[in-house]
């Protein structure tokens, strides 16, 4: 909190003082958080709403995911009153300025802010409203008995909460559930570290009747809520009770249970009842008694101007237009802020200083949208006048309303609504304004082309000139530069409507990397007015993304005037002139010159035909004028599980599911601040490859900045070196930097803001060195990391026999396949907290890690203490996907160095751009292959060289390559194979493990050459696949036998039938024959994914400990980490099944190296296999010891009875389990089939088919349907596995169709946040999504020898999404056939909209092709 004296030191304060005094401005923000009044005096001017919320205890559910409003993790609800009506607005707290909180109610992010006594019912109620009202859906309400009370509200799941149970047991009607920040039963809600106002509204309370009356009744309810078998009736799945303390018991006699009940537990998310194997839940009416009402004090409050700040920055919040004009007159350079969606990005990521910022959204005079109330007024309406402060959401709603009432005359409003529908997210549209969008002057603005096309004008006002109007057609004069006077503000936007009876059409178009919430590649809006003869009277063609400003196609507009619209010569001339209007250079900023130019013409081409259609000038192909739109997704799962047991095999919800949805789940950065805690700020390289000449860190130290700095000099050279496999990377750069974003050092300060500010002040002088970014550049420079592994099979084992094999091939095909990388984009970025202990030098290390052992070892290394004094802990991760297997190590190690140096805790959580800069991603790949076949399609020989882009260090790149080469044949028998892997060293970040670990790249290459072979042989790729599938008895290129657990043929046959594959193939061929501008494709791909740590045999082990306490509760520890994949619930199910207890009797606090030493990373889809077997081993030991006790009390006696008696008998109730994966042990270079050991323990198998529709004009596509069928053995938890399959598939869609990492020519990472890097959104999910499991396998997987005969499922489904890419390839083939393209089709991954459009081969593409000048390169580079 800044002092008032600091504000007075600001250079602008004296200038502004008279205005502030006149307005009686205050420096205190008054708002309410979850009903608690907050008076915040002169807060830090850099703080956003998110910064404030996360600084308060108990409000950590609002997360920092990206800092630019692109991920939604920071969403919270703002409650405000407008025109007497209460409104609830979702906003991005990471962008929302803290000054915007004045006089409003802030409901948080459901972040532990929902009391468990009330429960999570408000969320479920909202979900019901969304389903019923917004989606027009229906809720399934059925019960097994059919006797449900019809008065029950179907919107609220009946969830018994721990607080209710505890209040019953403690016989305390007013017992608090202990919600952070207060319970609805509390008489007063604490103000989260602030003093509550006496006028704070009270909270509602529940009566004792709202609680469950007794633990016994709850136990009965729990027992009846799951299944109905006799076994389940004896031992319930949930609802464990625990014995009283030993001191209060008597010795039990045979057959007696005298332990009593100390407490009971139950799952927060209930297991499902079942009716015909379909999960459904008991429902209870939603009770709104504890909902927060808008505080009356705020309703009665009078708006008052607010100001606060320090010597560097001042925030002002005027409440009248006159106050705003006075401010701009006095200080013209003041930055006006509305939703702050653009400003906050400039401040946080571009370090743009704004000395004076003015929040304008409290000015009511600028908010209105003028709409006539009667039909006569609507009929005479000539323009829509929008207040500068009106939110984009309100503009969107108004445009939709007026278009529905006025019709074609308001086409410009429909064009605006269409653009707003896909503009940003709802959270941004709720606070951003149209005036802000205009003033920002973005050259890729979605709305500015619409406004220009409609000849809109803006009303501006200043003290000097008063009210004037500026036309939008001449408003934008340079990049981010306008004609708006510095002292003026926009007050209204005037959008003209078409004259009654005018033959006028206005349309808008946008093409981006992703349909939803993405900045445009090219955006446009076109308007044309024709006379009665169809001749052009007036037209405007406005574009964004084609110049440094929103611009018009001036030459084309001029050429169209006086021309008859419905004349092919008019269209042809317009396309030619457009090519002249937008004569882009190949290296144009932003890249994609050919695509952008082609889009500019393609969008006009569509508009020309839409005008012909809308004005009835002629007949038009419907596929040409319709864009791709999608409906709400539907889908099916097969919920029948014939292998379901009492606990194992049940669809039990994720143990943290409800905590995660409400924000109660605690992640590393949510942990309470430690005493004297420090925050680290990384100093990162700004060069891709350079020699470090000089580092000056002294400017970073000082008052209000950092307390210290560490770098290579803080540890020995040996301790500064690390690596997962080969130790070739430095924690802090020494002499040279090898990647943009490589760590040079770290400052530490007592606040996060100070650390970030200080890190930017460290001065580094560089001498640039040559940069290698791509695989091709690495090959040319012979830049490789050591890697010698290769695979040989058949005659390829010796080079001398292969010439003879090639000579016997009827056909030989050669090609190159390329595949880009992929950013992990876990929601929780890398984070670490290290807490030192003075006494023995030991440390507690909280790390968001998949690999506690590796973090422990390297923290031990940099601190110089043995591993037994380093306890690495992780409760859960907010996603990992492999990115936290090794890249978590540097952050924890740097924190440990600071902690040892200062004897103070140290915390670091990377922001999104730091995370993307430093932590690497999936490896880009290139394959050069040659394959020989018979004339009828039998594969005979394969020779391939694979290259991956490792980045600047080895990390796990060699192991990734090893898995890629072992999956290069996918599911196909090839008798003679030679595969070599090469690891390229480049100057990108060091690439690392990612879900699939080389498998998706290898199998993509396999399916690529299968398509080439099929087309070369003029046969169906489906027939080629079936002809070459492995058969039992075949062996892989690594000489592993295909045994009886080979189910791909069965899976393919079943899925073809279930998905009606052949019928749909025929229907698609007919569709494509009828449609030129929309094309469909359907493709089916199989996968065979090997399970084990293939090339690191020592990692295939796990240990676990199970401790039974005397009250019957059970503590479970194992080496597996929870990253959202549900490992904890699966391990709890195994323990509960083996020990014959309810699942809630099992508790896992976290994963800790003190509890499970030498734990293997949770990776390679082996978490359940390894840890599950170790848990079972421990349970087996306990069951053997407890056998006499169970014989005494009966097999279904509760564990509290068993444990009590066992303790009295001095039976050890602690067990340590261990398991190592048998039979594997492949050794590279061993080609002796009789001695080689298997590389993989088994194969998880699956088949998917996807149907797509492609917009030929733009390259846009949608997935109409996806069907997946997986062989996952006997699932431990089908619900969790379904989530894994569906999530992996959508992540794979991103890999194969959307996500693309780009670098500038000099090696700067360009895609380092959600603004520039796009993962799949809601609109990318298949419109129909069906998933099922293979069942009724002969033998029932009895020979599998895995835990519960299940199979690992985390990684295998990723490749299933390649069916989307290859379906798009089929659609492209049809389009290219229509255009007479004869060149072989090469579709590299990802199949982005740009890549798809540039392969269509039509006349527009030929007109739009941009040829580089000699030596000219693209603006961006990929890493392939």
């Amino acid at each position: 909190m800044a002092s008032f004296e600091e504000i007075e030191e600001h250079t602008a304060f004296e200038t502004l003082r008279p205005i502030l005094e006149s307005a009686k401005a205050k420096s205190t923000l008054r708002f309410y958080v979850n009903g608690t009044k907050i008076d915040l005096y002169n807060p830090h001017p850099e703080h956003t709403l998110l910064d404030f919320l996360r600084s308060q205890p108990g409000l950590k559910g609002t997360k920092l995911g990206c800092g630019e409003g692109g991920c939604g993790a920071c969403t919270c609800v703002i409650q405000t009153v407008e025109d007497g009506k209460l409104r609830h607005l979702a906003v991005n707290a990471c962008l929302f300025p803290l000054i915007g909180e004045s006089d409003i109610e802030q409901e948080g992010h459901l972040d532990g802010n929902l009391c468990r006594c009330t429960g999570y019912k408000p969320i479920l109620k909202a979900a019901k409203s969304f389903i019923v009202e917004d989606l027009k859906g229906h809720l399934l309400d059925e019960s097994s008995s059919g006797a449900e009370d019809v008065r029950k509200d179907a919107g609220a799941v009946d969830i018994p909460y721990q607080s209710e149970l505890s209040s019953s047991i403690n016989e305390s009607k007013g017992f608090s559930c202990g919600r952070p920040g207060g319970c609805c039963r509390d008489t007063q809600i604490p103000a989260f570290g602030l003093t509550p106002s006496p006028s704070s509204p009270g909270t509602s309370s529940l009566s004792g009747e709202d609680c469950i009356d007794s633990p016994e009744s709850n136990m009965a309810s729990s027992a009846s809520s799951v299944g109905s078998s006799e076994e389940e009736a004896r031992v319930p799945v949930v609802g464990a009770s625990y014995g009283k303390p030993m001191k209060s018991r008597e010795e039990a006699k045979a057959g007696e249970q005298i332990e009593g009940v100390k407490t009971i537990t139950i799952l927060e998310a209930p297991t499902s009842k079942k009716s015909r194997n379909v999960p459904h839940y008991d429902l209870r009416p939603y009770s709104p008694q504890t909902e927060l009402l808008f505080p009356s004090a705020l309703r009665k409050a009078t708006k008052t101007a607010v100001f606060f700040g320090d010597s560097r920055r001042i925030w002002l919040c005027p409440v009248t237009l006159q106050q705003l004009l006075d401010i701009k007159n006095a200080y013209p350079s003041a930055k006006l802020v509305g939703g702050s969606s653009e400003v906050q990005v400039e401040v946080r990521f571009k370090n743009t200083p704004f000395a004076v910022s003015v929040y304008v959204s409290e000015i009511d005079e600028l908010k209105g949208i003028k709409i006539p109330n009667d039909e006569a007024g609507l009929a005479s309406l000539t323009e829509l006048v929008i207040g500068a402060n009106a939110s984009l959401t309100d503009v969107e709603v108004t445009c939709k309303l007026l278009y529905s009432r006025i019709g074609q005359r308001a086409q410009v409003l429909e064009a605006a609504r269409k653009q707003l529908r896909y503009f940003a997210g709802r959270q941004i549209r709720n606070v951003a304004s149209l005036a802000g969008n205009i003033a920002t002057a973005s050259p890729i603005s979605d709305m500015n082309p619409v406004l220009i096309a409609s000849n809109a004008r803006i009303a501006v006002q200043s003290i000097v000139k008063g009210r004037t109007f500026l036309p939008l057609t001449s408003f934008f004069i340079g990049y981010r530069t306008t004609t708006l006077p510095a002292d003026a503000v926009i007050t209204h936007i005037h959008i003209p409507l078409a004259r009654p009876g005018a033959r006028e059409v206005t349309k808008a178009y946008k093409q981006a990397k992703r349909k939803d919430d993405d900045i445009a590649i090219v955006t446009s809006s076109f308007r044309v007015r024709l006379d009665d003869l169809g001749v052009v009277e007036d037209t405007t063609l406005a574009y964004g993304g084609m110049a440094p400003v929103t611009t018009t196609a001036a030459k084309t507009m001029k050429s169209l005037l006086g021309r008859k619209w419905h004349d092919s010569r008019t269209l042809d001339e317009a396309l030619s002139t457009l090519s002249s209007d937008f004569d882009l250079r190949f290296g144009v900023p932003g890249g994609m010159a050919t695509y952008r130019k082609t889009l500019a013409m393609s969008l006009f081409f569509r508009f020309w035909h839409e005008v012909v259609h809308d004005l009835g000038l002629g007949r038009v192909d419907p596929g040409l004028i319709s864009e791709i739109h999608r409906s709400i997704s539907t889908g099916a799962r097969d919920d029948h599980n014939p292998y379901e047991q009492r606990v194992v095999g049940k669809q039990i919800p994720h143990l943290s599911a409800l905590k995660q949805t409400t924000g109660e789940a605690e992640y590393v950065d949510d942990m309470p601040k430690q005493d004297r805690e420090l925050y680290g700020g990384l100093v990162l390289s700004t060069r891709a490859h350079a020699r470090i000449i000089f580092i000056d860190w002294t400017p970073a130290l000082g008052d209000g900045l950092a307390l210290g700095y560490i770098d290579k000099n803080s540890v020995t050279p040996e301790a500064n070196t690390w690596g997962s496999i080969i130790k070739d990377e430095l924690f802090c750069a020494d002499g040279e930097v090898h990647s943009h974003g490589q760590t040079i050092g770290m400052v530490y300060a007592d606040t996060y803001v100070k650390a970030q500010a200080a890190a930017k002040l460290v001065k580094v002088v560089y001498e640039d060195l040559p940069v290698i970014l791509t695989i091709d550049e690495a090959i040319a420079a012979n830049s490789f990391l050591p890697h010698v592994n290769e695979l040989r099979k058949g005659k390829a084992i010796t080079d001398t026999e292969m010439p003879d094999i090639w000579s016997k091939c009827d056909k030989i095909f050669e090609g190159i396949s390329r595949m880009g990388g992929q950013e992990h984009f876990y929601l929780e970025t890398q984070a670490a907290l290290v807490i030192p202990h003075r006494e023995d030098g030991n440390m507690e290390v909280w790390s968001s890690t998949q690999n506690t052992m590796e973090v422990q070892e390297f923290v031990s290394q940099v601190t110089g203490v043995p591993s037994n004094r380093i306890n690495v802990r992780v409760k859960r991760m907010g996603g990992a996907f492999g990115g936290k297997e090794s890249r978590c190590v540097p952050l924890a190690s740097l924190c440990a160095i600071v902690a040892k140096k200062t004897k103070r805790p140290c915390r670091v959580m990377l922001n999104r751009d730091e995370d993307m800069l430093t932590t690497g991603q999936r490896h880009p790949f290139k394959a050069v292959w040659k394959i020989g076949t018979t004339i009828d399609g039998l594969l005979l020989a394969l020779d391939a060289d694979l290259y991956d882009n490792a980045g600047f260090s080895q990390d796990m790149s060699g192991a990734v390559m090893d898995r890629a080469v072992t999956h290069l044949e996918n599911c196909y028998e090839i008798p003679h194979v030679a595969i070599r892997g090469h690891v390229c060293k480049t100057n990108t970040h060091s690439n690392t493990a990612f879900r699939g670990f080389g498998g998706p790249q290898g199998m993509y290459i396999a399916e690529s050459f299968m398509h080439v072979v099929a087309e070369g042989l003029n046969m169906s790729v489906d027939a080629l696949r079936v002809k070459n599938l492995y058969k039992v008895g075949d062996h892989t290129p690594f000489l592993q036998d295909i045994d009886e657990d080979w189910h791909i043929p069965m899976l393919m046959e079943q899925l073809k039938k279930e998905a009606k594959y052949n019928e749909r193939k025929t229907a698609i061929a007919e569709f494509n024959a009828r449609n030129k501008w929309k094309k469909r494709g359907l493709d089916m791909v199989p996968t065979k994914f090997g399970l084990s740590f293939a090339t690191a045999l020592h990692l295939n082990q796990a240990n676990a400990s199970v401790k039974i306490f005397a009250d019957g509760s059970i503590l479970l520890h194992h080496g597996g980490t929870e990253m959202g994949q549900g490992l904890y619930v699966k391990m709890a199910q195994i323990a509960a099944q083996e020990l014959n207890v309810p699942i809630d009797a099992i508790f896992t606090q976290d994963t800790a190296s003190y509890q499970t030493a030498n734990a293997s990373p949770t990776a390679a889809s082996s978490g359940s296999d390894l840890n599950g077997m170790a848990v079972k081993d421990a349970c087996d030991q306990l069951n053997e010891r407890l056998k006499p006790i169970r014989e005494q009390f009966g097999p279904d006696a509760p564990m509290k009875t068993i444990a009590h008696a066992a303790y009295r008998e001095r039976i050890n109730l602690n067990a340590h389990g261990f398991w190592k994966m048998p039979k594997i042990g492949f050794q590279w270079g061993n080609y002796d089939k009789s001695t080689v050991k298997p590389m993989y323990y088994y194969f998880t198998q699956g088949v998917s088919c996807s149907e797509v529709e492609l917009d030929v004009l733009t390259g846009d596509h949608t997935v109409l349907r996806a069907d997946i069928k997986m062989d996952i053995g006997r699932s431990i938890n089908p619900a969790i596995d379904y989530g894994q399959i569906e999530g992996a598939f959508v992540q794979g869609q991103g890999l194969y169709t959307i996500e693309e990492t780009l670098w500038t020519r000099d090696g700067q990472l360009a895609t380092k946040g959600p603004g520039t890097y796009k993962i799949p959104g809601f609109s990318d999910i298949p419109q129909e999504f069906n998933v099922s499991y293979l069942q009724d396998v002969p033998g029932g997987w009895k020979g599998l020898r895995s835990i519960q005969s299940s199979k690992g499922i985390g990684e295998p489904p990723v490749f299933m999404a390649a069916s989307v890419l290859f379906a798009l390839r089929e659609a492209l083939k049809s389009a290219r056939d229509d255009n007479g393209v004869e060149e072989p089709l090469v579709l590299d991954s990802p199949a982005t909209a740009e890549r798809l459009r540039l392969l269509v081969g039509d006349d527009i593409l030929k007109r739009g092709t941009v040829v580089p000048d000699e030596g000219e390169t693209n603006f961006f580079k990929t890493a392939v």
Side-chain angles (χ1 to χ4, degrees), residues 46 312-313 333 335 343 346-348 350-357:
E46 300 291 342
R312 296 174 299 105
R313 187 177 183 187
S333 62
K335 183 70 173 180
V343 171
E346 292 181 29
V347 170
R348 181 160 288 185
K350 300 179 182 179
N351 304 317
T352 306
F354 295 116
V356 177
S357 298

Side-chain angles (χ1 to χ4, degrees), residues 550-618:
T550 302
T551 188
T552 57
K555 296 177 183 177
T556 308
M557 290 161 54
K558 183 177 180 180
S559 72
L560 287 171
L561 293 176
R563 301 285 295 267
K564 188 172 183 179
W565 186 263
H566 189 210
D567 187 323
S568 61
R569 292 170 296 181
T570 301
L571 175 60
D572 185 71
E573 174 68 19
L575 293 175
S576 297
T577 315
L578 277 171
S579 180
S580 176
D581 272 315
F582 301 117
D583 189 18
L584 303 181
R585 295 180 297 105
F586 185 77
V588 64
M592 298 187 282
T594 294
Y595 184 45
R596 287 157 65 185
K597 189 172 181 179
T598 300
L599 273 178
M601 291 185 281
S602 295
L603 298 179
F604 176 80
F605 186 80
R606 172 162 283 158
F607 173 70
W608 187 88
H609 286 87
E610 283 202 70
V611 173
V612 171
H613 173 268
D614 289 1
L615 298 182
L617 304 179

